[in-house]
Amino acid sequence: MNNIKPVIFLIPVIALISAGLLYISLLKKAADKKPFGRLIFTMTLLAFLLNFTWELLQMPLYRNSFYDVKHITFCALASVADTIMVLLLYFGFVYIFKNLFWIQQIKLQQSAMVILTGGTGASLSEIRHLSLGSWAYADPMPIIPVVNVGLSPVLQFMILPLIIYVLSSFCLKDRKPKKN
């Protein structure tokens, strides 16, 4: 967190508006509005909590990061952005798989798509933030060769979305899988 510029908020604001519009659009199409709303609420809550935990745990991997109010607040804001991206990823796959509740019958190929998309998105985001000077890595951060980004934030988006989706699907346990 070296040099925060206002432009850092542009993409998250666009993403937030997009996520809201996608949610409203998908909710209108949902035959089962209550379970879909419950799924997205659960997903949002889990996404924030798990990403915030990850952000706090990886703080020592970033240069000039300390466990103080300023940096913890920054981690909370980053977790909000992470949460929005988890939702956008889910909504995108709703359109690809043509099913609001695709997570109930996830297959290996779909899991691989989520992992690959999350890792690619995280890599691109890290490249952007590093070039803006939003943050810099400390020496302990493992770097992925070729793309020269930190392993920890890329793993975060390769692992957490799928975990969040699967855990969130448990709120649908009383709902029989069907296309919607």
Side-chain angles (χ1 to χ4, degrees), residues 103-179:
I103 193 62
Q104 285 186 291
Q105 50 235 295
I106 192 163
K107 296 172 179 65
L108 184 60
Q109 182 181 11
Q110 292 169 320
S111 297
M113 288 174 68
V114 170
I115 291 167
L116 184 62
T117 304
T120 302
S123 295
L124 294 172
S125 176
E126 285 297 301
I127 290 168
R128 177 179 176 269
H129 284 291
L130 290 168
S131 70
L132 287 173
S134 303
W135 52 72
Y137 301 135
D139 291 336
M141 174 70 83
I143 302 296
I144 300 171
V146 180
V147 289
N148 294 317
V149 297
L151 179 62
S152 180
V154 173
L155 283 177
Q156 179 179 358
F157 252 81
M158 291 177 79
I159 296 169
L160 287 187
L162 197 55
I163 290 171
I164 291 161
Y165 301 153
V166 170
L167 290 176
S168 297
S169 74
F170 288 116
C171 78
L172 301 170
K173 65 180 177 200
D174 58 336
R175 188 182 174 284
K176 293 179 184 170
K178 69 175 184 179
K179 282 211 164 216

Side-chain angles (χ1 to χ4, degrees), residues 7 19 34 37-38 41 77-78 87 89 95-96 109 119 121-122 149 168 177:
V7 73
K34 215 175 222 179
R38 190 170 59 234
F41 175 79
L77 285 172
L87 292 172
L89 189 63
Y95 285 104
I96 291 168
Q109 182 181 11
V149 297
S168 297

